[in-house]
């Protein structure tokens, strides 16, 4: 198996096009064609993790956090990031990360947090991502084939429905010049063909792949298509999750359950202004900026990490803020990687790192 065989599984689940502009998700070190013998899964890449990979014979490390988000000006061993890269290159270890792209899918980082709390009636807390209407014209006999290609590339999903499209019959005309190689019609003669106009909704991160699939499947030498950005926001991608507990729970009891579930050394929280918890908002990692959204969507509690002192005041006694810690909120992302890889390649050697990479300790 090669690096690309494994990374394609992750990227189909959480496309790289969903990552934020500042991010560095993807293959950071190595080559897509390198043969892989064993995989090590971790939240963070540290020197200890790379040493563990060397000792265990793992030549692909998959992490949630990229080794670096910043440019590197030299490869002097004066920083742990550069030392990690030097060791990885020296020992032919490939480094791959899925960060904000894994945050942005409904069943990603926040989705796994929601799984742990058994939330129901879920939706994205902050939907993000543009939608496009992809329109193309095909000779009627070829419409089904081209349409199916766009569906297979990820187009045509609306809510709980797939293979969604609008199709209208019409006539297309063209005159092939002497340099053309027409699929139908003759060079120099105006041709009229019964065609179908098809419109399919495609999310921005899948637009390029959908257009490529359209062109490859289309019989015409010069397919006609256009993509128009819609005002709608993609409801299936974005950050955070809001949902409900199956049963209303006492606030203090819920916080204790939260601490136990996420193995928290401590939970920093605001006043228990809500005596009972039913509606829960959460976001893996640094999610303080979504506090207002959690309030507007009538959450009883908002669970995330990395709150600064003054950020806690934004709760305004309208909900409970629970800061469970950055690592704690994202620790189960490794399980997603494991499931994606082993579900497709069940007998491949995949191990969880035994290194504790959380840099924060509690006294």
């Amino acid at each position: 198996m090669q690096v690309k065989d494994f990374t394609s599984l992750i990227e189909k689940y959480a496309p790289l096009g969903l990552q934020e502009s500042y991010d560095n998700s993807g293959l950071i070190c190595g080559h897509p064609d390198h043969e892989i013998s064993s995989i090590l899964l971790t939240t963070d890449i540290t020197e200890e993790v790379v040493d563990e990979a060397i000792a265990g014979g793992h030549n692909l490390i998959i992490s949630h956090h990229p080794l670096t988000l910043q440019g590197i000006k030299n490869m002097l061993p004066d920083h742990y990031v550069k030392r990690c890269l030097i060791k990885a290159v020296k020992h032919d270890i490939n480094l791959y990360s899925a960060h904000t792209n894994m945050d942005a899918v409904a069943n990603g980082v926040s989705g796994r947090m929601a799984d742990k709390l058994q939330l129901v009636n879920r939706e994205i807390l902050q939907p993000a991502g543009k939608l496009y209407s992809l329109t193309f014209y095909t000779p009627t006999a070829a419409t089904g084939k081209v349409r199916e290609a766009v569906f297979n590339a990820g187009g045509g999903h609306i809510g709980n429905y797939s293979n969604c499209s609008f199709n209208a019959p019409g006539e297309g005309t063209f005159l092939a010049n002497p340099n053309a190689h027409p699929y139908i019609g003759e060079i120099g003669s105006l041709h009229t063909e019964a065609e179908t106009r098809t419109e399919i909704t495609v999310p921005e991160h899948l637009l390029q792949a959908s257009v490529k699939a359209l062109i490859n499947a289309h019989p015409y030498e010069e397919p006609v298509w256009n993509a128009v950005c819609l005002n709608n926001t993609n409801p299936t991608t974005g950050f955070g999750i809001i949902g409900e507990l199956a049963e209303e729970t006492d606030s203090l009891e819920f916080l204790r359950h939260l601490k136990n579930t996420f193995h928290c050394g401590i939970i920093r929280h605001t006043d228990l202004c809500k005596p009972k918890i039913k509606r829960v908002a959460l976001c893996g990692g640094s999610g303080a900026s979504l506090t207002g959204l959690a309030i507007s969507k009538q959450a009883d509690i908002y669970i995330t990490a990395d709150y600064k002192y003054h950020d806690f005041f934004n709760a305004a006694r309208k909900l409970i803020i629970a800061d469970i810690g950055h690592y704690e909120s994202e620790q189960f992302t490794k399980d997603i990687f494991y499931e994606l890889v082993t579900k497709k390649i069940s007998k491949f050697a995949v191990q969880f790192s035994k290194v504790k990479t959380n840099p924060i300790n509690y006294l």
Side-chain angles (χ1 to χ4, degrees):
M1 304 295 295
Q2 297 177 317
V3 170
K4 61 188 177 186
D5 296 319
F6 299 102
T7 59
S8 64
L9 296 174
I10 297 172
E11 289 169 15
K12 184 177 181 181
Y13 189 86
L16 289 179
L18 289 175
Q19 69 177 304
E20 295 291 279
S21 59
Y22 66 82
D23 200 8
N24 192 28
S25 292
L27 187 61
I28 295 171
C29 177
H31 194 284
D33 295 334
H34 281 176
E35 293 290 333
I36 298 304
S37 58
S38 180
I39 298 173
L40 188 65
L41 306 178
T42 182
T43 300
D44 309 278
I45 298 173
T46 65
E47 289 185 79
E48 292 79 7
V49 170
V50 177
D51 289 339
E52 181 183 19
I54 295 169
H58 310 292
N59 56 351
L60 172 60
I61 299 175
I62 299 177
S63 69
H64 176 48
H65 292 136
L67 181 58
T68 179
L69 297 175
Q70 301 173 347
I72 296 175
K73 294 184 178 181
N74 60 61
M75 288 298 287
L76 297 174
D78 54 5
H79 189 276
Y80 88 92
V81 167
K82 292 186 279 185
R83 290 193 293 271
C84 285
L85 286 170
I86 291 169
K87 286 183 180 181
V89 171
K90 183 177 180 180
H91 294 274
D92 292 324
I93 297 174
N94 300 269
L95 306 179
Y96 181 88
S97 300
H99 188 211
T100 54
N101 54 316
M102 189 60 77
D103 290 322
V105 292
N107 293 318
V109 179
S110 297
R112 186 50 56 106
M113 292 175 68
D115 290 343
K116 293 294 180 180
L117 296 175
Q118 299 181 319
L119 299 188
V120 297
N121 303 324
R122 302 182 198 176
E123 61 184 52
I124 300 286
L125 180 59
Q126 183 188 53
K130 298 176 182 177
L131 291 173
Y132 282 78
S133 177
L134 178 61
T135 302
F136 53 92
Y137 305 83
T138 52
T140 301
T143 299
K145 176 185 176 183
V146 179
R147 188 173 54 209
E148 189 67 24
V150 176
F151 290 155
N152 290 338
H157 288 269
I158 300 176
N160 293 320
Y161 296 85
S162 63
N163 294 47
C164 301
S165 68
F166 176 80
N167 304 271
E171 287 187 343
T173 64
F174 56 86
L175 192 154
N177 67 38
N179 295 319
H181 299 86
Y183 168 70
I184 46 179
E186 298 180 1
I187 292 176
S189 297
L190 182 66
H191 181 80
T192 301
E193 180 69 22
E195 294 184 336
T196 302
R197 170 191 169 110
T198 300
E199 298 180 36
I200 297 177
T201 300
V202 179
E204 182 179 26
H205 67 278
L206 296 176
L207 181 60
Q208 184 177 1
S210 297
V211 171
K212 182 178 180 180
L214 184 166
I215 292 172
N216 288 340
H218 205 291
Y220 284 176
E221 184 180 15
E222 300 285 352
V224 176
W225 61 271
N226 65 290
V228 177
C229 187
L230 305 175
N231 290 329
N232 314 54
T233 300
N234 188 350
T236 64
T237 59
F239 300 97
I241 293 287
I242 185 163
E244 297 178 342
L245 298 173
E247 296 182 0
E248 193 175 60
T249 304
D250 174 79
S251 296
L252 186 56
E253 181 181 336
F254 178 77
L255 284 175
R256 287 171 176 153
H257 172 64
L258 182 66
K259 183 176 182 180
N260 181 62
T261 301
F262 288 86
H263 316 297
C264 303
I266 192 171
I267 293 180
R268 300 189 302 151
H269 63 87
T270 55
D271 291 342
L272 302 186
C273 57
K274 300 281 186 174
K276 300 289 184 180
I277 300 295
K278 176 69 174 179
R279 195 158 170 80
V280 178
L282 50 81
C283 182
S286 305
S289 62
L290 304 186
T291 305
L293 270 175
I295 293 172
S296 69
K297 294 190 177 184
Q298 299 181 320
D300 297 313
I301 189 169
Y302 178 44
I303 305 162
T304 187
D306 298 344
Y307 267 87
K308 295 181 180 179
Y309 174 81
H310 292 285
D311 291 335
F312 283 98
F313 288 105
N314 293 329
R317 296 189 60 81
K318 294 179 180 178
L319 52 54
I320 300 168
I321 288 174
D323 183 331
I324 65 173
H326 195 117
Y327 175 88
E328 287 78 3
S329 71
E330 297 181 333
Q331 62 186 296
F332 300 115
T333 308
K334 301 188 296 292
D335 297 338
I336 301 176
F337 296 145
Y338 182 85
E339 291 162 11
L340 289 173
V341 172
T342 58
K343 182 178 180 180
K344 187 72 175 181
I345 313 167
S346 59
K347 295 183 179 180
F348 201 84
V350 183
Q351 294 185 19
F352 292 97
S353 172
K354 295 181 175 64
V355 176
K356 175 185 175 293
T357 62
N358 187 0
I360 299 172
N361 293 278
Y362 305 99
L363 180 61

